[in-house]
């Protein structure tokens, strides 16, 4: 059965005010069933129900962190599992969505990478995470105003579905999110970054997971990164910045004794010279068996100071949801049989 959420809002069934009503039920009221759409005639509801699925997930479990973040674990129709994270802040509500089950990028410090690749999510399965989390939190989907593509998976390797999902969430008739509040995070794929800038200029923010300024270190922690040199990544970042006018964010997970030396901070500052950018230092979130440790506060501060002294815009991003397994790179289905579930076995 076709998932309704896989459709672009312009392609929704029904027309005129019936279409508006349907879109409102889905994206404003966030209902999970056609039967709840009380102002649609029973016959129309029955037809929709015969042709379309509305909610692609079963909610398995939520994990609540003491900082208010909530990790949602879902089962997909083919029994695979994946996760989304809700992060309430004082001034905004943010959702972190997955674009894949598992991930092929295999970053050495990332727990999702250790799961391997399951499959791509469809656009509707990406958008569905917003609706399901809103339902779980008793909110309208439109209350979730900030979105980051930073969950499981590499969005630029599931390009078409990610772009369609972004178009749906920006569309006025759907979620009506502001492009300034949507961030796509990528492991750093120059072709995809260029395509995003030149062919699908959605105006959304771009974050690049650089994590090291030198090839040797980067290839050690991002083994699939050898296909794209740091210089190519930087060139595509410059192009994205020039075409979109947006400041590019660079993510940098601080791994103790691996990428946190002063010389690496100096090299990073050199790479960023002349680029309107921002560096996010993220204390690495340790997980059992990763083989990496987070840098100490002093090491982070020293690294920060070097960047700041060289005029780099830099901040430290404290991950939320660490105690609920919901922090950056911790999404790894902390469940018995997780790897099999990711693989749909
Ligand atoms: N594939 C995309 C988006 C998902 S990962 C990407 O690579 O950007 C989101 C961010 O979390 C990335 O910057 C990733 O490198 C980071 N991350 C992964 N594991 C982490 C960990 N254990 N600690 C801190 N950050 C981590």
């Amino acid at each position: 059965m076709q998932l309704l959420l896989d459709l672009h809002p312009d392609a929704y069934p029904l027309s005129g005010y019936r279409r508006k009503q349907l879109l409102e039920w889905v994206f404003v009221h966030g209902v999970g069933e056609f039967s709840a759409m009380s102002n649609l005639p029973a016959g129309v509801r029955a037809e929709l129900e015969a042709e379309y699925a509305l909610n692609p997930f079963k909610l398995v479990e939520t994990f609540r962190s003491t900082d208010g973040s909530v990790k949602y674990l879902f089962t997909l129709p083919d029994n695979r599992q994946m996760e989304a994270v809700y992060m309430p802040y004082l001034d905004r509500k943010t959702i972190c969505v997955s674009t894949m089950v598992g991930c092929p990028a295999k970053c050495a410090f990332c727990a999702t990478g250790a799961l391997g690749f399951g499959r791509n999510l469809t656009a509707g399965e990406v958008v569905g995470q917003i609706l399901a989390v809103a339902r779980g939190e008793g909110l309208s989907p439109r209350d979730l105003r900030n979105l980051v593509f930073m969950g499981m998976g590499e969005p630029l390797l599931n390009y078409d579905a990610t772009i369609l999902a972004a178009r749906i969430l920006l569309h006025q008739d759907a979620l009506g999110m502001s492009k300034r509040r949507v961030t796509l995070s990528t492991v750093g794929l120059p072709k995809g970054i260029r395509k995003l800038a030149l062919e699908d200029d959605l105006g959304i923010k771009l974050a690049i997971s650089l994590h090291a300024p030198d090839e040797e270190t980067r290839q050690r922690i991002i083994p699939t990164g050898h296909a794209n040199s740091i210089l190519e990544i930087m060139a595509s970042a410059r192009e994205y910045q020039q075409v979109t006018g947006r400041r590019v964010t660079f993510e940098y997970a601080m791994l103790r004794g691996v990428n946190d030396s002063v010389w690496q901070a100096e090299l990073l500052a050199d790479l960023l010279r002349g680029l309107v950018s921002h560096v996010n230092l993220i204390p690495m979130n340790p997980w059992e068996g990763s083989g990496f440790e987070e840098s100490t506060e002093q090491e982070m501060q020293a690294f920060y100071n070097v960047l700041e002294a060289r005029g780099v815009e830099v901040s430290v991003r404290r991950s939320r949801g660490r105690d609920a397994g919901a922090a950056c790179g911790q999404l790894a289905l902390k469940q018995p049989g997780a790897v099999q579930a990711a693989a749909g076995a």
Side-chain angles (χ1 to χ4, degrees), residues 37-228:
M37 302 181 173
S38 52
N39 60 3
L40 288 181
V44 172
R45 279 185 262 156
E47 273 174 40
L48 288 171
E49 205 158 317
E51 241 177 280
Y52 296 99
L54 185 52
N55 181 4
F57 313 119
K58 264 200 245 94
L59 177 61
V60 181
E61 213 177 340
T62 55
F63 303 84
R64 281 180 192 269
S65 159
T66 50
D67 67 20
S69 306
V70 190
K71 178 165 86 167
Y72 279 78
L73 175 64
F74 299 112
T75 301
L76 294 157
D78 58 357
N79 283 326
R80 292 170 196 264
Q81 296 188 334
M82 56 89 196
E83 298 170 339
V85 182
Y86 170 64
M87 294 173 285
Y89 296 86
L90 283 179
D91 58 341
R92 64 186 188 277
K93 297 178 172 69
T94 298
I95 180 165
C96 173
V97 293
S98 296
T99 53
M100 294 176 172
V101 178
C103 186
K106 298 213 182 316
C107 302
F109 54 94
C110 175
T112 302
L115 278 182
F117 176 59
R119 73 161 167 89
N120 285 332
L121 297 182
T122 70
E125 288 168 342
V126 175
V127 173
Q129 294 168 56
I130 308 164
L131 306 184
V133 166
R135 270 197 294 281
E137 297 301 315
L139 298 167
S140 160
R142 287 186 166 235
D143 293 335
L144 299 170
R145 306 307 294 156
N146 289 69
L147 181 136
V148 291
F149 288 99
M150 289 188 191
M152 301 181 126
E154 169 48 46
L156 294 184
L157 288 179
N158 183 14
Y159 191 89
D160 292 344
T162 298
I163 296 302
L164 177 54
R167 290 191 192 285
I168 297 170
L169 52 97
L170 297 178
H171 200 289
Q172 277 317 315
D173 294 345
L175 287 164
M177 278 188 183
S178 156
K179 58 192 180 187
R180 285 173 193 79
R181 294 164 177 241
V182 175
T183 303
L184 186 149
S185 176
T186 172
V187 71
L189 304 170
K191 262 199 210 133
I193 291 171
R194 278 208 189 87
K195 190 161 182 218
L196 188 62
L198 299 170
E199 289 173 37
D200 295 288
D201 182 14
L202 301 170
I204 59 178
K205 292 201 280 188
L206 178 70
I208 299 178
S209 297
L210 193 64
H211 301 318
D214 60 294
E215 288 296 343
E216 194 186 328
T217 310
R218 193 164 197 274
Q219 286 178 26
R220 175 174 163 206
I221 59 183
I222 308 181
T224 57
H226 64 83
N228 306 293

Side-chain angles (χ1 to χ4, degrees), residues 248-278:
V248 176
T249 296
F250 290 89
E251 292 157 285
Y252 201 101
M254 300 291 291
L255 310 171
R256 182 150 204 228
V258 176
N259 65 356
D260 60 354
S261 331
V262 165
W263 69 266
Q264 284 161 320
E266 289 167 354
L267 194 55
L268 178 59
D270 287 347
L271 281 179
L272 297 175
R273 191 153 299 134
L275 174 62
V276 184
S277 61
H278 183 95

